[in-house]
Amino acid sequence: MLGAADLQALGVSLLLAAVTVIGLLACGLPLAWWLARRDGTGKAWLEAVIALPLVLPPTVLGFYLLLLLGKTGPLAAVGLPPLAFSFGGLVVGSMIYSLPFVVQPLITGFENIDQRRLDAAATLGAGPRDRFFSVALPGARSAIITGAVLGFAHTLGEFGVVLMLGGSLPGETRVASIAIYQHVESMDLASAHALSAVLVVISLVLLVPTYILRRRSRS
Amino acid sequence: MRAPSLHFIALLAVAAIAGCAPNDAPAPPARIAVAANFAATASALRDAHESAGGGRIDVILGSTGSLHAQITAGAPFDAFLAADTARPDRLVAEHLATAESRFVYAIGRLVLWSPHIDLVDPAGDVLRGEGFTHLAIADPKTAPYGAAAHAYLEGAGLLGTVAARLVTGQSVAQAYQYTASGNADLGFVAVSQVAGRGSHFIIPDDSHAPLEQAAVLLTDHPDAQAFLHFIRHDPDARAIIAAHGYGLPNDETRPDARRR
């Protein structure tokens, strides 16, 4: 049903989503843990900045990332390799774009951990690292899964940022959503429908177990 | 039977590896950035070019504005088929394209169109009456087709009559979607979008600035050069462009000119 080019685009999408989620968990877990244990206006500012990608139109975000990461941008001016039009650039863009979807559930998950359990662990001699790995991480398990799945699904459906930043290079930056857009613009609706259906099925397969898991852990 | 010697196995392995490994890295296909309104035509042109023995072409679609921004930011495109002449001219001014490579490859044509068979009359008088609720138009400020439609309405003294019933799409593609989905009864769209369905009135070319679409070469990729040469000079290519509803520069045989 899907042509070779569409399968390739789907592969780029899945790889991008996986790499983005791994990167976001690596940065987001320490960040969320740190934020969950803070209060005051500093925290409010940081949380607002994390939520910004929800508010900004994706094409606007993509346009400024293009200016930032392109060969005429400030990063190239200080000697960094230009990331626009590369898979690495899409990872950076997707991590920013999906940041709130991963970090916000993590913050909530960490905030819900009973402080008394952390205190008890401390009394038993567990250091901060030990408390994070043996109490906080297991305690926030369901939040971590929710954040990871939402980040994955959100990146899979990403369009505006990739459209501006990626340049639609086959095998590199042409993701499934861009391939669908190109099919629609070329009036090849059959291919667009087929690829869209595959995306919907993949997303449902991811989301349904997540919500079942969430309900179970709540009851 | 004797087991095959180690030498023989080694030889086989070397042969297999040599057979699988490409002798040279294949040259990357030419990447042509194409304005979205030209998508279907560009695909047809690419297929014709490849079946005539041309090199492989990757078509990359986007709006003219965002493709221009990407080229400025260093996108690895080899040629650019824009929906206007302003952006290619700016690329030439910015030394990202050569002036010699710039040419007008197609001239867009504006049509007042409805998916209903009997709504639009051949003279476009439907605009003077009350026979419709919504009239779709692309944004005159950003879309060339919108500006052309606005100029036509102004010239015909119809702007006041229809102003309250205009629905504005971000691009001519959106104006088409409003109309094709029936949310607007009729709309100003591109001839290339409607291909003879429904009812239509082709807006006279002299009522607005020409909708010229220019191409430029961005690199010296030989396949990209060959593709632009094909589009510019090959009679088959020009026939494909005309068949998709575009006018051609310096051309007396435009379909609507013949009909009139």
Side-chain angles (χ1 to χ4, degrees):
Chain A
M1 187 75 171
L2 294 183
D6 285 346
L7 284 175
Q8 189 186 42
L10 205 57
V12 174
S13 274
L14 291 171
L15 186 67
L16 177 66
V19 174
T20 300
V21 166
I22 291 168
L24 273 178
L25 285 181
C27 309
L29 280 170
L31 176 68
W33 175 240
W34 185 79
L35 268 177
R37 326 197 45 71
R38 292 265 165 323
D39 255 321
T41 40
K43 175 181 178 174
W45 271 95
L46 206 54
E47 282 189 308
V49 169
I50 290 170
L52 264 189
L54 287 175
V55 185
L56 285 175
T59 42
V60 172
L61 187 63
F63 177 67
Y64 285 104
L65 283 171
L66 180 67
L67 295 187
L68 185 72
L69 302 176
K71 70 166 186 198
T72 51
L75 294 187
V78 298
L80 291 168
L83 275 174
F85 319 112
S86 72
F87 185 78
L90 289 197
V91 172
V92 173
S94 306
M95 280 179 64
I96 294 170
Y97 180 56
S98 294
L99 182 73
F101 288 83
V102 178
V103 172
Q104 280 178 347
L106 293 183
I107 295 175
T108 315
F110 285 139
E111 281 174 346
N112 287 342
I113 290 172
D114 194 342
Q115 182 61 37
R116 285 170 301 180
R117 287 179 59 199
L118 291 165
D119 292 343
T123 328
L124 291 170
R129 266 178 67 105
D130 199 6
R131 288 203 296 273
F132 176 70
F133 283 107
S134 354
V135 181
L137 274 193
R141 197 183 64 123
S142 131
I144 294 171
I145 293 172
T146 304
V149 170
L150 284 183
F152 191 94
H154 191 238
T155 308
L156 212 55
E158 183 177 347
F159 176 70
V161 173
V162 181
L163 183 72
M164 293 304 294
L165 188 60
S168 185
L169 310 178
E172 172 97 12
T173 62
R174 181 173 295 172
V175 298
S177 58
I178 302 286
I180 293 170
Y181 163 74
Q182 302 224 10
H183 287 317
V184 171
E185 290 294 336
S186 315
M187 305 230 180
D188 182 3
L189 292 187
S191 301
H193 295 335
L195 195 50
S196 305
V198 173
L199 266 193
V200 168
V201 170
I202 292 176
S203 306
L204 281 178
V205 166
L206 281 169
L207 291 173
V208 170
T210 311
Y211 283 103
I212 290 175
L213 195 82
R214 258 208 339 200
R215 175 172 304 168
R216 274 209 202 122
S217 69
R218 214 178 286 147
S219 58
Chain B
M1 195 180 122
R2 248 187 77 197
S5 80
L6 218 60
H7 278 112
F8 180 66
I9 292 173
L11 209 69
L12 262 185
V14 168
I17 292 167
C20 292
N23 297 331
D24 296 297
R31 291 170 176 147
I32 315 290
V34 175
N37 80 60
F38 203 64
T41 321
S43 300
L45 287 169
R46 177 196 56 199
D47 294 346
H49 183 243
E50 282 180 7
S51 61
R56 244 188 75 210
I57 302 285
D58 274 338
V59 169
I60 285 143
L61 298 175
S63 77
T64 297
S66 61
L67 290 172
H68 172 262
Q70 291 182 333
I71 292 164
T72 312
F77 304 150
D78 298 302
F80 180 29
L81 304 188
D84 61 11
T85 53
R87 256 61 74 99
D89 287 344
R90 204 184 304 169
L91 287 174
V92 170
E94 290 162 342
H95 305 292
L96 292 168
T98 56
E100 307 83 67
S101 73
R102 177 202 178 280
F103 69 99
V104 172
Y105 64 90
I107 300 167
R109 285 152 69 226
L110 183 68
V111 65
L112 177 66
W113 175 72
S114 168
H116 305 292
I117 285 173
D118 48 7
L119 186 60
V120 180
D121 54 287
D125 285 333
V126 58
L127 290 176
R128 299 176 195 282
E130 300 295 322
F132 64 96
T133 319
H134 291 301
L135 167 62
I137 183 172
D139 188 345
K141 288 193 201 72
T142 57
Y145 282 94
H150 191 267
Y152 168 74
L153 287 173
E154 204 165 37
L158 287 165
L159 213 45
T161 322
V162 301
R165 289 176 286 175
L166 281 180
V167 284
T168 305
Q170 186 233 121
S171 64
V172 72
Q174 201 167 20
Y176 170 75
Q177 280 156 6
Y178 286 162
T179 315
S181 62
N183 288 298
D185 311 275
L186 68 175
F188 285 103
V189 301
V191 172
S192 54
Q193 291 171 311
V194 299
R197 292 165 291 131
S199 53
H200 69 271
F201 159 57
I202 294 184
I203 307 300
D205 287 338
D206 53 10
S207 66
H208 56 81
L211 294 160
E212 290 181 329
Q213 307 199 175
V216 278
L217 202 59
L218 304 168
T219 69
D220 51 8
H221 194 302
D223 292 340
Q225 286 178 336
F227 187 59
L228 287 203
H229 187 270
F230 174 74
I231 291 176
R232 190 173 190 170
H233 298 294
D234 191 282
D236 291 343
R238 289 169 68 88
I240 288 171
I241 295 172
H244 279 81
Y246 292 93
L248 293 164
N250 318 318
D251 178 21
E252 303 302 311
T253 61
R254 292 168 48 175
D256 66 325
R258 239 181 292 151
R259 222 178 290 141
R260 260 188 246 136

